[in-house]
Amino acid sequence: MEPQVVLDRDHLARYTMGDVVLEREVLGLFIGQMPVTVASLRDSGDAVSWTRAAHTIKGSARAVGAWRLAQLAEHAESCSSRHERWQALADEIEIAVAEVHRHIAETV
């Protein structure tokens, strides 16, 4: 099985129309916002807050081509009624965010 790409640069290039400066700006905004959104996920006290934060992460990850992170967030979004799983899911999402961040730092 082939390892999943951390960040689909072809997708991002289509999204930014090949503008490298815009790509860097979008990735900077993405990485800058993720700690806030992950904190919102972790601080969720109810299903509505949890779902909203997971949905935000999913959409942001899809926009930049971070497919693994998007899949994890989509799974978290569907687990809005399982409070006992929230911590583990938030941990997985945080690890995936760190992986994307490292990839960006190494390649941009």
Side-chain angles (χ1 to χ4, degrees), residues 43-62:
D43 295 341
S44 296
D46 58 67
V48 171
S49 299
W50 173 266
T51 301
R52 185 178 300 126
H55 183 77
T56 299
I57 293 167
K58 179 183 75 176
S60 297
R62 284 180 175 172

Side-chain angles (χ1 to χ4, degrees), residues 76-89:
E77 188 178 24
S78 71
C79 292
S80 62
S81 63
R82 298 189 195 148
H83 294 271
E84 70 276 1
R85 285 278 299 137
W86 286 4
Q87 183 65 40
L89 289 168

